[in-house]
Amino acid sequence: MQLRRAVLPYKTVRALWVAVCLAPALLLFSAFVAYPVVTAMAYAFSRWDGIVRAGFAGLDNFHRLLTLYPYRERMAAAFWHNVWTFLLTMIVQNGLAMLFAVLLAGRAWGVRFYRAVFFMPVVLSLVVVGFLWQLFLNPVWGAVNKLLVLAGLGALARPWLGDPQTALVALVLVNAWRWVGFPTIVFLAGIQAIPDDYLEAARLDGAGPATIFRRIVLPLLAAQVNIIVILTFIGAFNWFELPYVMEGVTGEPFHSTDVLGLLFYRSAFGAVDTGNPDVGLGSAIAVVMFVLILVTSGLGAVYLRRREVEA
Protein backbone atom coordinates (compact mmCIF):
# COMPACT_ATOMS: atom_id res chain seq x y z
CA MET A 1 0.00 0.00 0.00
CA GLN A 2 1.43 3.41 -0.94
CA LEU A 3 1.29 6.09 1.78
CA ARG A 4 0.24 9.59 0.79
CA ARG A 5 2.63 12.37 1.81
CA ALA A 6 1.01 14.99 3.99
CA VAL A 7 1.10 18.49 2.43
CA LEU A 8 0.93 21.44 4.81
CA PRO A 9 -0.96 24.60 3.79
CA TYR A 10 1.18 27.40 2.38
CA LYS A 11 0.39 29.75 5.31
CA THR A 12 1.50 27.14 7.83
CA VAL A 13 4.77 26.54 5.98
CA ARG A 14 5.43 30.27 5.82
CA ALA A 15 4.68 30.69 9.54
CA LEU A 16 7.05 27.84 10.43
CA TRP A 17 9.77 29.32 8.23
CA VAL A 18 9.38 32.75 9.89
CA ALA A 19 9.52 31.13 13.34
CA VAL A 20 12.72 29.26 12.45
CA CYS A 21 14.34 32.46 11.16
CA LEU A 22 13.35 34.45 14.26
CA ALA A 23 14.34 31.78 16.80
CA PRO A 24 18.09 32.65 17.01
CA ALA A 25 17.36 36.35 17.46
CA LEU A 26 14.73 35.63 20.13
CA LEU A 27 17.11 33.33 21.99
CA LEU A 28 19.88 35.96 21.99
CA PHE A 29 17.44 38.70 23.04
CA SER A 30 16.09 36.54 25.86
CA ALA A 31 19.58 35.61 27.11
CA PHE A 32 21.29 39.00 26.90
CA VAL A 33 18.43 41.54 27.28
CA ALA A 34 15.24 40.12 28.78
CA TYR A 35 16.87 37.87 31.41
CA PRO A 36 19.24 40.58 32.81
CA VAL A 37 16.36 43.10 32.98
CA VAL A 38 14.07 40.69 34.82
CA THR A 39 16.91 39.63 37.13
CA ALA A 40 17.78 43.25 37.99
CA MET A 41 14.13 43.91 38.83
CA ALA A 42 14.07 40.87 41.11
CA TYR A 43 17.29 42.01 42.82
CA ALA A 44 15.88 45.53 43.34
CA PHE A 45 13.03 44.11 45.43
CA SER A 46 15.33 41.89 47.52
CA ARG A 47 17.22 42.37 50.79
CA TRP A 48 20.93 41.58 50.57
CA ASP A 49 23.50 40.33 53.07
CA GLY A 50 26.71 41.18 51.23
CA ILE A 51 26.42 39.38 47.92
CA VAL A 52 23.83 36.88 49.21
CA ARG A 53 20.13 37.51 48.71
CA ALA A 54 18.39 37.45 52.10
CA GLY A 55 14.70 37.64 51.27
CA PHE A 56 12.03 39.95 49.91
CA ALA A 57 12.48 43.66 50.77
CA GLY A 58 9.51 45.20 48.97
CA LEU A 59 10.14 48.87 48.10
CA ASP A 60 12.81 49.36 50.77
CA ASN A 61 15.67 49.81 48.27
CA PHE A 62 13.69 52.40 46.29
CA HIS A 63 12.70 54.16 49.55
CA ARG A 64 16.36 54.47 50.58
CA LEU A 65 17.39 55.63 47.10
CA LEU A 66 14.77 58.36 46.68
CA THR A 67 14.20 59.66 50.21
CA LEU A 68 17.17 59.03 52.52
CA TYR A 69 20.47 60.90 52.87
CA PRO A 70 22.97 60.60 51.14
CA TYR A 71 21.39 58.43 48.43
CA ARG A 72 18.75 61.02 47.51
CA GLU A 73 21.35 63.80 47.04
CA ARG A 74 23.66 61.56 44.99
CA MET A 75 20.76 60.39 42.82
CA ALA A 76 19.51 63.95 42.19
CA ALA A 77 23.00 65.25 41.33
CA ALA A 78 23.69 62.38 38.92
CA PHE A 79 20.26 62.77 37.30
CA TRP A 80 20.80 66.49 36.61
CA HIS A 81 24.24 65.75 35.15
CA ASN A 82 22.54 63.36 32.71
CA VAL A 83 19.98 66.05 31.86
CA TRP A 84 22.74 68.61 31.16
CA THR A 85 24.57 66.03 29.08
CA PHE A 86 21.47 65.51 26.94
CA LEU A 87 20.83 69.25 26.45
CA LEU A 88 24.46 70.11 25.66
CA THR A 89 24.74 67.16 23.28
CA MET A 90 21.60 68.25 21.45
CA ILE A 91 22.94 71.80 21.05
CA VAL A 92 26.60 71.12 20.30
CA GLN A 93 26.81 67.69 18.69
CA ASN A 94 23.53 67.62 16.76
CA GLY A 95 23.70 71.32 15.87
CA LEU A 96 27.15 70.84 14.34
CA ALA A 97 25.96 67.63 12.65
CA MET A 98 23.14 69.52 10.91
CA LEU A 99 25.58 72.25 9.80
CA PHE A 100 28.08 69.70 8.47
CA ALA A 101 25.31 67.75 6.68
CA VAL A 102 24.10 70.89 4.88
CA LEU A 103 27.65 71.79 3.85
CA LEU A 104 28.48 68.24 2.73
CA ALA A 105 25.25 67.98 0.72
CA GLY A 106 26.70 70.49 -1.76
CA ARG A 107 29.06 69.66 -4.54
CA ALA A 108 32.13 71.40 -3.17
CA TRP A 109 35.61 70.01 -3.74
CA GLY A 110 36.71 67.25 -1.34
CA VAL A 111 33.21 66.39 -0.07
CA ARG A 112 33.93 62.64 0.05
CA PHE A 113 37.14 63.24 1.98
CA TYR A 114 35.38 65.38 4.59
CA ARG A 115 32.60 62.79 4.98
CA ALA A 116 35.26 60.20 5.91
CA VAL A 117 37.01 62.65 8.26
CA PHE A 118 33.82 63.47 10.17
CA PHE A 119 32.85 59.80 10.52
CA MET A 120 36.30 58.47 11.40
CA PRO A 121 36.16 59.17 15.20
CA VAL A 122 32.96 57.09 15.45
CA VAL A 123 34.90 53.88 14.82
CA LEU A 124 37.52 54.62 17.48
CA SER A 125 37.39 52.89 20.84
CA LEU A 126 36.02 55.05 23.67
CA VAL A 127 38.99 54.02 25.81
CA VAL A 128 41.40 55.32 23.16
CA VAL A 129 39.37 58.53 22.75
CA GLY A 130 39.33 59.13 26.51
CA PHE A 131 43.06 58.53 26.89
CA LEU A 132 43.96 60.79 23.96
CA TRP A 133 41.79 63.67 25.18
CA GLN A 134 43.21 63.32 28.68
CA LEU A 135 46.58 64.08 27.09
CA PHE A 136 45.22 66.95 24.98
CA LEU A 137 43.48 68.54 28.01
CA ASN A 138 46.43 68.22 30.38
CA PRO A 139 46.79 71.63 32.12
CA VAL A 140 50.63 71.66 31.93
CA TRP A 141 51.62 70.27 28.55
CA GLY A 142 48.28 69.53 26.84
CA ALA A 143 47.76 70.68 23.25
CA VAL A 144 44.50 72.55 24.00
CA ASN A 145 46.02 75.03 26.46
CA LYS A 146 49.12 75.47 24.32
CA LEU A 147 46.99 76.30 21.26
CA LEU A 148 44.99 78.81 23.30
CA VAL A 149 48.23 80.52 24.39
CA LEU A 150 49.54 80.59 20.80
CA ALA A 151 46.24 82.14 19.66
CA GLY A 152 46.51 84.91 22.26
CA LEU A 153 43.73 83.38 24.38
CA GLY A 154 45.92 82.28 27.27
CA ALA A 155 43.39 83.67 29.77
CA LEU A 156 41.05 80.83 28.74
CA ALA A 157 43.64 78.13 29.52
CA ARG A 158 42.66 76.10 32.56
CA PRO A 159 42.67 72.59 34.01
CA TRP A 160 39.61 71.52 32.01
CA LEU A 161 39.17 68.12 33.64
CA GLY A 162 40.21 69.29 37.12
CA ASP A 163 37.84 72.25 37.41
CA PRO A 164 34.29 71.36 38.58
CA GLN A 165 32.96 74.25 36.47
CA THR A 166 34.35 72.86 33.20
CA ALA A 167 34.82 69.11 33.70
CA LEU A 168 31.33 68.00 32.58
CA VAL A 169 31.35 70.42 29.63
CA ALA A 170 34.76 69.08 28.58
CA LEU A 171 33.45 65.50 28.67
CA VAL A 172 30.39 66.44 26.61
CA LEU A 173 32.58 68.17 24.00
CA VAL A 174 34.88 65.15 23.76
CA ASN A 175 31.83 62.89 23.41
CA ALA A 176 30.44 65.21 20.70
CA TRP A 177 33.77 65.09 18.85
CA ARG A 178 33.61 61.32 18.86
CA TRP A 179 29.94 60.94 17.81
CA VAL A 180 29.25 63.95 15.55
CA GLY A 181 29.86 61.85 12.42
CA PHE A 182 26.85 59.60 13.08
CA PRO A 183 24.10 62.26 13.08
CA THR A 184 25.92 63.98 10.22
CA ILE A 185 25.56 60.88 8.05
CA VAL A 186 21.89 60.46 9.06
CA PHE A 187 21.03 64.10 8.26
CA LEU A 188 23.05 63.97 5.04
CA ALA A 189 21.14 60.91 3.83
CA GLY A 190 17.87 62.73 4.55
CA ILE A 191 18.95 65.86 2.67
CA GLN A 192 20.10 63.87 -0.35
CA ALA A 193 16.71 62.10 -0.46
CA ILE A 194 14.88 65.42 -0.96
CA PRO A 195 13.83 65.73 -4.64
CA ASP A 196 15.76 68.42 -6.50
CA ASP A 197 12.47 69.68 -7.97
CA TYR A 198 11.44 71.07 -4.57
CA LEU A 199 14.67 73.02 -4.18
CA GLU A 200 14.68 74.29 -7.77
CA ALA A 201 11.08 75.46 -7.48
CA ALA A 202 11.92 77.35 -4.30
CA ARG A 203 14.94 79.03 -5.95
CA LEU A 204 12.80 80.07 -8.94
CA ASP A 205 10.37 81.67 -6.49
CA GLY A 206 13.26 83.75 -5.10
CA ALA A 207 13.82 81.87 -1.82
CA GLY A 208 17.32 82.20 -0.31
CA PRO A 209 19.36 79.41 1.32
CA ALA A 210 18.05 80.23 4.82
CA THR A 211 14.43 80.18 3.67
CA ILE A 212 14.92 76.93 1.74
CA PHE A 213 16.48 75.31 4.80
CA ARG A 214 13.75 76.52 7.18
CA ARG A 215 10.73 75.93 4.93
CA ILE A 216 11.74 72.83 2.93
CA VAL A 217 14.83 71.00 4.20
CA LEU A 218 14.12 71.06 7.93
CA PRO A 219 10.44 69.90 7.69
CA LEU A 220 11.44 67.06 5.35
CA LEU A 221 14.14 65.98 7.82
CA ALA A 222 11.59 65.47 10.61
CA ALA A 223 11.99 61.69 10.61
CA GLN A 224 15.80 61.85 10.83
CA VAL A 225 15.69 64.55 13.53
CA ASN A 226 13.26 62.49 15.60
CA ILE A 227 15.52 59.43 15.43
CA ILE A 228 18.57 61.43 16.50
CA VAL A 229 16.69 63.08 19.41
CA ILE A 230 15.58 59.70 20.76
CA LEU A 231 19.02 58.11 20.33
CA THR A 232 20.69 61.13 21.96
CA PHE A 233 18.37 60.87 24.98
CA ILE A 234 19.04 57.14 25.39
CA GLY A 235 22.79 57.69 25.01
CA ALA A 236 22.85 60.58 27.51
CA PHE A 237 21.06 58.61 30.23
CA ASN A 238 23.12 55.47 29.56
CA TRP A 239 26.38 57.44 29.67
CA PHE A 240 29.13 55.54 31.48
CA GLU A 241 32.27 54.68 29.49
CA LEU A 242 33.75 58.12 28.78
CA PRO A 243 33.23 59.58 32.31
CA TYR A 244 34.63 56.35 33.76
CA VAL A 245 37.75 56.48 31.55
CA MET A 246 38.45 60.23 31.90
CA GLU A 247 37.26 61.04 35.45
CA GLY A 248 37.13 57.72 37.26
CA VAL A 249 34.33 55.81 38.93
CA THR A 250 33.57 58.62 41.44
CA GLY A 251 32.96 61.26 38.75
CA GLU A 252 35.76 63.65 39.75
CA PRO A 253 36.39 66.43 40.47
CA PHE A 254 34.11 66.56 43.53
CA HIS A 255 31.47 64.39 41.78
CA SER A 256 30.93 67.13 39.18
CA THR A 257 30.87 64.51 36.38
CA ASP A 258 28.94 61.87 38.29
CA VAL A 259 26.13 60.34 36.21
CA LEU A 260 23.56 57.63 36.86
CA GLY A 261 25.70 54.94 35.23
CA LEU A 262 28.65 55.68 37.55
CA LEU A 263 26.39 55.86 40.62
CA PHE A 264 24.90 52.48 39.73
CA TYR A 265 28.37 50.96 39.34
CA ARG A 266 29.64 52.34 42.67
CA SER A 267 26.51 51.31 44.56
CA ALA A 268 26.36 47.79 43.18
CA PHE A 269 30.07 46.96 43.38
CA GLY A 270 31.26 49.27 46.17
CA ALA A 271 33.54 52.32 46.23
CA VAL A 272 35.17 54.74 48.67
CA ASP A 273 32.13 57.04 48.95
CA THR A 274 29.40 54.36 48.77
CA GLY A 275 30.97 51.75 51.01
CA ASN A 276 30.52 48.01 50.61
CA PRO A 277 28.71 46.54 47.61
CA ASP A 278 24.94 47.02 47.86
CA VAL A 279 23.36 44.94 45.10
CA GLY A 280 19.83 45.91 46.11
CA LEU A 281 20.51 49.65 45.92
CA GLY A 282 22.46 49.30 42.66
CA SER A 283 19.64 47.25 41.13
CA ALA A 284 17.12 49.90 42.24
CA ILE A 285 19.18 52.56 40.38
CA ALA A 286 19.29 50.31 37.30
CA VAL A 287 15.51 49.84 37.40
CA VAL A 288 14.92 53.61 37.76
CA MET A 289 17.22 54.23 34.77
CA PHE A 290 15.44 51.55 32.71
CA VAL A 291 11.95 52.87 33.47
CA LEU A 292 13.03 56.50 32.91
CA ILE A 293 14.59 55.74 29.52
CA LEU A 294 11.78 53.39 28.40
CA VAL A 295 8.90 55.69 29.35
CA THR A 296 10.46 58.99 28.25
CA SER A 297 11.82 57.70 24.94
CA GLY A 298 8.54 55.88 24.23
CA LEU A 299 6.36 58.93 24.91
CA GLY A 300 8.84 61.16 23.07
CA ALA A 301 8.80 58.88 20.03
CA VAL A 302 4.98 58.90 19.90
CA TYR A 303 4.84 62.71 20.29
CA LEU A 304 7.54 63.36 17.67
CA ARG A 305 5.90 60.88 15.28
CA ARG A 306 2.59 62.72 15.53
CA ARG A 307 4.30 66.06 14.83
CA GLU A 308 6.09 64.45 11.91
CA VAL A 309 2.78 63.25 10.40
CA GLU A 310 1.11 66.65 10.97
CA ALA A 311 4.06 68.41 9.29
Side-chain angles (χ1 to χ4, degrees), residues 26-283:
L26 289 175
L27 287 174
L28 291 174
F29 178 83
S30 301
F32 296 104
V33 178
Y35 177 74
V37 170
V38 173
T39 304
M41 289 184 176
Y43 289 173
F45 291 96
S46 300
R47 186 173 61 258
W48 289 81
D49 183 8
I51 59 173
V52 178
R53 193 155 48 163
F56 182 68
L59 296 174
D60 181 62
N61 291 320
F62 295 96
H63 179 263
R64 286 194 296 148
L65 177 65
L66 300 176
T67 62
L68 299 183
Y69 176 85
Y71 313 111
R72 178 183 58 193
E73 284 72 15
R74 291 173 181 161
M75 184 73 182
F79 170 78
W80 284 113
H81 291 158
N82 283 100
V83 172
W84 278 113
T85 299
F86 169 68
L87 296 176
L88 289 175
T89 303
M90 283 296 302
I91 295 171
V92 178
Q93 174 186 295
N94 296 339
L96 286 175
M98 183 64 77
L99 175 63
F100 294 153
V102 171
L103 295 176
L104 292 175
R107 297 179 179 177
W109 179 85
V111 166
R112 292 184 178 179
F113 171 75
Y114 289 118
R115 289 176 187 170
V117 169
F118 286 129
F119 195 76
M120 193 176 298
V122 176
V123 302
L124 294 178
S125 165
L126 266 175
V127 176
V128 174
V129 171
F131 178 72
L132 286 176
W133 276 98
Q134 274 185 321
L135 300 178
F136 295 155
L137 294 171
N138 187 283
V140 179
W141 39 265
V144 173
N145 281 349
K146 287 188 177 297
L147 289 174
L148 288 174
V149 173
L150 289 175
L153 301 173
L156 297 178
R158 63 193 65 244
W160 298 97
L161 297 177
D163 186 345
Q165 301 297 323
T166 60
L168 184 62
V169 176
L171 291 186
V172 172
L173 293 178
V174 172
N175 193 61
W177 175 85
R178 197 248 182 172
W179 282 109
V180 70
F182 179 74
T184 299
I185 294 299
V186 174
F187 293 149
L188 180 60
I191 292 174
Q192 291 179 332
I194 298 174
D196 290 336
D197 296 345
Y198 294 1
L199 306 179
E200 290 297 331
R203 294 191 185 100
L204 290 175
D205 288 341
T211 303
I212 292 175
F213 175 77
R214 190 176 68 254
R215 297 291 181 83
I216 297 177
V217 175
L218 198 56
L220 293 177
L221 283 180
Q224 288 78 13
V225 171
N226 293 345
I227 291 172
I228 293 301
V229 170
I230 298 300
L231 291 179
T232 301
F233 178 82
I234 295 173
F237 278 83
N238 267 329
W239 211 26
F240 174 80
E241 295 91 344
L242 196 64
Y244 179 80
V245 170
M246 297 187 70
E247 296 287 10
V249 72
T250 53
E252 297 299 330
F254 305 112
H255 299 298
S256 60
T257 58
D258 194 17
V259 289
L260 291 175
L262 292 178
L263 182 61
F264 153 74
Y265 185 89
R266 297 201 311 276
S267 301
F269 300 103
V272 174
D273 65 326
T274 54
N276 294 326
D278 191 331
V279 180
L281 191 66
S283 300

